[in-house]
């Protein structure tokens, strides 16, 4: 399909008003609501139905909130949008417009024009040495949570994943903060994310109370960051000064150190990008492990072989291929960002159709990662389907971290944090499901288990 479907910008002589492309509609539209009901009711099943319908060769017309929009279900077309012709598309639509208005043009929300500079600016934050220096803080937070469980008890995994993800993000970004302050900011950060979805989908005048609460959380985080910046700035060259401090040095590209305001905006945007995604990934990872006792034993053996009884380091984790494959498989089965969106910035040709500028294209990492033609038995959790190093650049259908110029910049940090938390849990506890039925997913911007209860039994040797 890719050979005939290049998204070629039209020549200058093309007519200014593109005709509405003749793309077959996606199944499941209702008379007034269009496809909104399918999106809200059982979107994963609906996406699979769209992909299986075969009409439109991977492009399906949507009736959604009155805007011209299409669903792409073919991995090659999605690759064109994200990689080959990435310059023809940007993060547009109401969600990103609202997010930009609230948080400014930081890397996550940056418009196409500002993105290359923001990306270059942010790269030092995720240098390997900074991630390696953050591992003890990840371990500390995982141990605080896992040590509070009691043997034979039932753990609310989503609640504890929220604690882990927000505390770890705050502490690794700004290690100068005390534990009391980390916990206070983690609560504000979790509240901010909880309210973010409604804040970005509702019009600005809606929900006065929600807006006040949202702004109070945002203020708490910004003020605390600005208060911590002078100390972080003083030790910025030391890798142990945290991820955010990487922005407080002069960059090799000639950018000066970030101002307090810039540091504050990046702090909040990284919390936004890195917390709920990690909550989702950790909760689903523990769910999958709880249903596979032999896999828990094998990962423990691997852990013991590389680290013995001491807390893991980044080097140890790099020598644990089974844990890595299990994590990648979790992200294949349950990609946290289950749906992505791009808007065309000019007229484009895609899948044999022409689309005008301003057209919205939706595509789902979840649907692509469950395509039966790409992954055998896609519903089965099977770490062995991946090579030791996980997916390669050729695995177009693995999109849990996105791809192309806007691929997740925090992917190594996220994989490390997940591996540290999983190791800390497995060295202390054996996990089994407390409920017979697997958890259902709550699908908003992320997919997170609606509720996940696991029974934990103490193991004899703990780190
Ligand atoms: C398992 C956890 C994570 C997953 C699955 C994930 C997934 C993604 C995906 C799919 C995108 C691309 C979105 C798009 O193309 O529209 C993205 C972008 C991004 N992520 Fe992550 N992410 C995770 C964790 C993190 C963490 C921990 C951080 C930082 C602390 C982070 C920082 C970012 C940033 C800065 C971007 C924007 C990159 C750009 O636009 O250039 N992510 N992430």
């Amino acid at each position: 399909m890719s050979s005939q479907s290049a998204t070629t910008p039209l020549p200058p002589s093309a007519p200014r008003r593109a005709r509405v492309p003749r793309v077959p509609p996606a199944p499941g539209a209702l008379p007034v609501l269009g496809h909104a009901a399918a999106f809200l009711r059982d979107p994963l099943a609906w996406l699979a139905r769209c992909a299986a319908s075969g009409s439109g060769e991977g492009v399906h017309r949507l009736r959604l909130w009155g805007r011209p929009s299409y669903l792409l279900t073919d991995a090659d077309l999605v690759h064109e949008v994200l990689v080959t012709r990435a310059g023809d598309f940007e993060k547009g639509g109401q969600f990103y417009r609202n997010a930009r208005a609230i948080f400014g043009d930081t890397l996550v929300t940056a418009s196409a024009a500002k993105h290359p500079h923001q990306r270059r600016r942010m790269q030092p934050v995720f240098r390997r040495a900074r991630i390696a220096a953050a591992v003890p803080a990840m371990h500390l937070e995982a141990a605080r949570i896992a040590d509070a469980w009691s043997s034979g008890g039932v753990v609310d995994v989503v609640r504890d994943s929220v604690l882990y993800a927000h505390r770890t993000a705050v502490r690794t970004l700004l290690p100068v903060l005390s534990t009391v302050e980390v916990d206070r900011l983690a609560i504000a950060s979790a509240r901010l994310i909880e309210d973010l979805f409604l804040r970005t989908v509702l019009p600005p005048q809606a929900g006065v109370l929600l807006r006040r609460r949202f702004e109070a959380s945002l203020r708490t985080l910004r003020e605390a960051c600005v208060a911590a910046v002078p100390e972080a700035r003083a030790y910025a060259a030391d890798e142990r000064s945290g991820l955010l401090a990487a922005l407080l040095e002069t960059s090799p590209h000639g950018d000066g150190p970030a101002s307090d305001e810039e540091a504050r905006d990046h702090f909040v945007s990284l919390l936004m990008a890195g917390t709920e995604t990690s909550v989702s990934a950790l909760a689903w990872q523990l769910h999958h492990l709880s249903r596979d006792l032999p896999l828990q034993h094998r990962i423990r053996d691997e852990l013991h072989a590389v680290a013995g009884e001491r807390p893991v380091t980044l080097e140890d984790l790099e020598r644990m291929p089974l844990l890595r494959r299990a994590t990648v498989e979790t992200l294949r089965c349950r990609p946290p960002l289950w749906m992505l969106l791009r808007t065309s910035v000019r007229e484009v040709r895609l899948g044999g159709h022409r689309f005008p500028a301003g057209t919205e294209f939706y595509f789902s990492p979840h649907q692509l990662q469950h395509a039966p033609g790409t992954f055998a038995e896609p519903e089965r959790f099977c770490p062995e389907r991946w090579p030791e190093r996980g997916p390669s650049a050729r695995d177009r259908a693995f999109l849990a971290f996105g791809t192309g110029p806007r691929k997740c910049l925090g992917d190594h940090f996220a994989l490390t944090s997940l591996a540290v938390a999983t190791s800390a849990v497995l060295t202390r506890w054996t996990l089994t499901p407390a409920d017979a039925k697997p958890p259902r997913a709550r699908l908003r911007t992320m997919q997170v288990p609606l509720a996940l209860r696991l029974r934990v039994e103490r193991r004899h040797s703990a780190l």
Side-chain angles (χ1 to χ4, degrees):
M1 156 160 284
S2 51
S3 57
Q4 334 120 321
S5 60
T7 60
T8 27
L10 297 177
S13 58
R16 290 180 70 77
R17 252 171 63 84
R19 266 166 287 146
V20 175
R22 291 190 181 195
V23 176
L30 291 181
V32 180
L33 294 171
H35 292 97
F39 242 96
L40 297 171
R41 226 179 318 151
D42 188 359
L44 300 183
W46 170 68
L47 285 166
R49 234 168 8 111
C50 293
S53 76
S55 64
E57 297 193 50
V59 191
H60 313 259
R61 183 156 45 84
L62 300 178
R63 275 207 293 122
L64 215 53
W65 336 118
R67 288 190 294 275
S69 43
Y70 295 85
L71 172 71
L72 306 177
T73 54
D74 177 87
D76 287 340
L77 291 180
V78 171
H79 189 77
E80 289 181 33
V81 171
L82 292 179
V83 183
T84 331
R85 313 292 304 186
D88 293 342
F89 300 89
E90 74 166 348
K91 287 183 175 179
Q94 188 183 342
F95 180 86
Y96 283 110
R97 272 196 304 279
N98 284 349
R100 249 169 240 146
I102 299 166
F103 298 109
D105 252 346
T106 58
L107 179 59
V108 185
T109 53
S111 53
K114 296 196 179 156
H115 179 258
H117 173 254
Q118 291 284 19
R119 178 107 186 170
R120 214 186 50 214
R121 186 85 184 84
M122 193 66 91
Q123 251 142 10
V125 170
F126 295 100
R127 267 206 313 262
R128 188 178 181 286
R130 294 251 169 204
I131 296 176
V135 167
M138 295 171 183
H139 188 268
L140 175 86
E141 292 302 346
R144 276 175 77 197
I145 292 165
D147 284 340
W149 297 346
S150 44
S151 198
V154 171
V155 170
D156 177 343
V157 174
V158 176
R159 183 202 59 197
D160 284 356
S161 300
V162 168
L163 285 181
Y164 175 72
H166 288 269
R167 288 177 182 172
T168 302
V170 171
R171 196 185 280 280
T172 54
L173 285 166
L174 281 172
V176 296
L177 298 174
S178 68
T179 296
V180 172
E181 190 65 347
V182 166
D183 290 357
R184 185 177 78 92
L185 298 189
I187 291 169
S189 166
R191 196 169 285 160
L192 188 84
I193 298 292
E194 184 61 33
D195 294 342
L196 178 64
F197 177 74
L198 288 176
R199 184 75 177 78
T200 42
V201 293
L202 291 175
Q205 62 278 17
V208 175
L209 285 178
L210 172 78
R211 220 170 60 231
R212 277 203 202 124
R213 195 169 85 150
F214 184 86
E215 261 136 38
S217 310
L218 191 56
R219 208 168 35 248
T220 302
L221 293 167
R222 285 176 167 167
E223 286 173 3
C225 179
V226 169
V229 158
E231 194 178 342
R233 204 182 282 288
Y235 302 102
D238 185 336
E239 307 292 0
R240 287 165 303 174
S241 60
L243 271 65
L244 199 68
L247 296 172
L248 303 172
E249 295 181 278
T250 302
S251 89
H253 307 292
D255 295 311
S259 67
D260 289 7
E261 288 69 28
E262 283 168 333
R264 173 197 86 173
D265 289 348
H266 290 307
F267 177 62
V268 175
S269 78
L270 289 173
L271 291 176
M272 241 177 41
T275 48
E276 191 72 350
T277 39
S278 302
V279 170
S280 161
L282 180 57
W284 289 116
Q285 167 109 314
L286 297 182
H287 155 68
H288 285 299
L289 292 177
S290 74
R291 287 173 183 258
D292 192 339
L293 283 176
L295 180 61
Q296 289 184 47
H297 292 312
R298 285 164 59 212
I299 293 178
R300 242 177 240 125
D301 289 346
E302 185 179 68
L303 186 59
H304 196 259
V306 299
E309 296 292 306
R310 62 170 169 73
V312 287
T313 62
L314 186 58
E315 291 74 27
D316 296 332
L317 295 173
E318 287 163 351
R319 291 189 289 128
M320 295 188 60
L322 180 59
L323 176 55
R324 189 175 183 85
R325 288 159 117 182
T327 306
V328 169
E329 181 64 350
T330 295
L331 293 169
R332 182 194 70 80
C333 290
R334 291 292 186 175
L337 280 160
W338 59 283
M339 183 69 101
L340 300 177
L341 167 66
R342 288 293 186 275
T343 305
S344 53
V345 292
R346 56 182 68 91
E347 247 181 24
V348 291
R349 192 193 294 269
L350 187 63
H353 306 284
R354 279 179 183 184
F355 299 92
T359 305
E360 294 185 350
F361 294 93
Y362 291 83
F363 41 93
S364 165
H366 189 101
Q367 175 261 315
L368 293 165
Q369 293 178 182
H370 287 76
T374 316
F375 296 99
E377 296 184 74
E379 298 307 322
R380 196 158 73 85
F381 180 79
C382 176
E384 283 74 19
R385 72 170 82 237
W386 297 104
E388 288 209 347
R389 293 207 58 76
S392 73
R394 276 175 306 173
D395 289 310
R396 288 189 176 182
F398 183 80
L399 286 173
F401 289 113
T403 184
R406 303 213 67 151
K407 181 171 187 260
C408 179
L409 195 58
D411 54 352
H412 292 297
F413 176 90
L415 290 171
T416 306
S417 168
L418 265 170
V420 171
T422 307
S423 310
V425 168
L426 291 186
T427 46
R428 291 163 172 77
W429 304 103
T430 297
L431 310 173
T432 47
D435 301 303
K437 275 196 177 170
R440 290 185 21 235
R442 182 178 88 153
L443 290 130
R444 284 176 156 193
T445 316
M446 313 285 158
Q447 62 169 323
V448 179
L450 201 53
L452 176 59
R453 295 167 357 108
L454 297 185
R455 192 169 299 286
V456 296
E457 298 292 343
R458 189 178 296 285
R459 294 196 58 255
H460 296 302
S461 91
L463 294 184

